[in-house]
Amino acid sequence: LDAAADGTLLTPNGYAEQVDRVYADPRTGATFRRFVYEWLELYETGDVYGGVSSGDVQKMTFIAGYKVTPALREEMNEEVLDMVEYYRLNGTFEDLFTSNDSFAKSEDLAAIYDVAVWDGQSMPVPFPTPERQGLLGRAALLASATVTTHPILRGVRIREDLMCDELGAPPDDVNDVEQDFQALATTRQRTESLTSPGSCAGCHILINGLGFPLEAFDSLGRYRSEEMYIDVEGSVELLPLDLESAPFVASASDPTVVDGPAELTDAILSSGKLEECFARHYVRFTLGLLADPAYGGDSETVRALADELRAGGPLSDAFKSIAFLPAFKQRVSR
């Protein structure tokens, strides 16, 4: 108010000073966390506590040795929000997808990651495996309430939320497809059997290839080298994983093949789709635009922000740039 009263708010330096002040304010951090929660649809995070009971032999065998409580779901989401907040202040856009550090503040989640608890102040804790990097390796984006993983749901999240590609609605008879596999089959084999026939294949060619590399992580978010198949009596068989796939990142004719989550992340990053999609979400959120593409507005602003994100400068500079746009600084009288 003082800067407005004495006129310094109307000068370039005075305005920039206020943008820096507001960006560093904890209330901006809280608003940004709400944006990330909506962008990544963290309200869809699987409740790994769901179905946990002494009578569920499969689930109890699956989580043996780990503490799974009703709080775990929120702890997973908080880790993602803490990670993005950390790089909002201290990193680049690429850090969000290449970081090999844990931001787990609870013992339960840290145990899943096999790392020490992060105190929220020191440097974050490195993961023991390079395969778990960036957002795609976070438990919040991997967990489900079932013993088995859901590569289809994982693939849809990446395709729609991170690359902004539109997928058609599934056919009405989606649950009537007959599956042809033996009982002892991996989740990938079951998924391929379920989605290969008829009209399913058209969409699933753009979904499955994004989900299969993430089979390196189970439905609790743990890294694994084999899939644990558990029958109804609790007997365990270890099955080999196949993480190789064609994710068709650029288009349905993209021949690129990846093997594992790290290569998948590299392929998506090199496509440029992450920056473009994120910029679209961010511009809509900060300018209060509707999600309907018809009201997405300001494609030049989206492209400019995407280019700045690709340039690799501080994430804070890219995020603050929106505050210097006429659309942000001025209001149209009606």
Side-chain angles (χ1 to χ4, degrees), residues 165-318:
D165 290 340
E166 294 185 14
L167 295 169
D172 294 335
D173 61 349
V174 64
N175 293 320
D176 298 333
V177 178
E178 294 185 4
Q179 301 184 52
D180 181 20
F181 54 76
Q182 297 180 353
L184 193 60
T186 65
T187 300
R188 174 169 183 161
Q189 291 169 333
R190 292 169 183 268
T191 301
E192 289 175 327
S193 174
L194 179 68
T195 60
S196 58
S199 59
C200 297
C203 284
H204 281 277
I205 194 174
L206 299 175
I207 298 172
N208 296 0
L210 293 171
F212 290 151
L214 297 180
E215 285 296 280
F217 307 103
D218 68 16
S219 60
L220 193 55
R222 296 174 296 194
Y223 180 75
R224 62 185 183 179
S225 57
E226 297 174 298
E227 179 174 347
M228 183 191 303
Y229 179 87
I230 308 172
D231 66 19
V232 293
E233 297 179 350
S235 297
V236 176
E237 292 275 358
L238 296 178
L239 306 179
L241 292 172
D242 179 6
L243 305 179
E244 187 175 284
S245 75
F248 300 107
V249 172
S251 68
S253 59
D254 182 358
T256 305
V257 174
V258 302
D259 189 3
E263 289 188 14
L264 173 64
T265 296
D266 290 342
I268 298 174
L269 266 174
S270 63
S271 73
K273 282 190 168 185
L274 285 173
E275 295 88 349
E276 193 79 21
C277 184
F278 181 88
R280 188 185 305 178
H281 285 290
Y282 186 68
V283 168
R284 284 174 176 168
F285 182 86
T286 54
L287 298 184
L289 300 172
L290 299 177
D292 189 320
Y295 296 92
D298 216 346
S299 58
E300 291 184 6
T301 299
V302 171
R303 283 196 297 271
L305 178 57
D307 288 342
E308 190 162 358
L309 293 171
R310 293 188 189 104
L315 200 51
S316 57
D317 288 351

Side-chain angles (χ1 to χ4, degrees), residues 13 18 39 57 70 104 107 109 116 143 158-159 179 213 223-224 236 264 315 334:
N13 289 340
Q18 296 305 320
W39 163 47
V57 178
E107 293 184 1
L109 181 56
I158 296 172
R159 182 68 65 183
Q179 301 184 52
Y223 180 75
R224 62 185 183 179
V236 176
L264 173 64
L315 200 51
R334 297 188 184 277

Side-chain angles (χ1 to χ4, degrees), residues 66 102 104 106-117 125-129 132 221-223:
Y66 289 82
S102 164
S106 74
E107 293 184 1
D108 300 348
L109 181 56
I112 290 173
Y113 286 157
D114 194 22
V115 296
V117 174
V125 185
F127 288 124
T129 170
R132 190 193 292 279
R222 296 174 296 194
Y223 180 75

Side-chain angles (χ1 to χ4, degrees), residues 21-33 85 88:
R21 179 186 64 80
V22 171
Y23 190 77
D25 192 289
R27 289 170 292 181
T28 297
T31 301
F32 203 85
R33 292 168 81 89
E85 176 66 4
R88 181 182 77 87

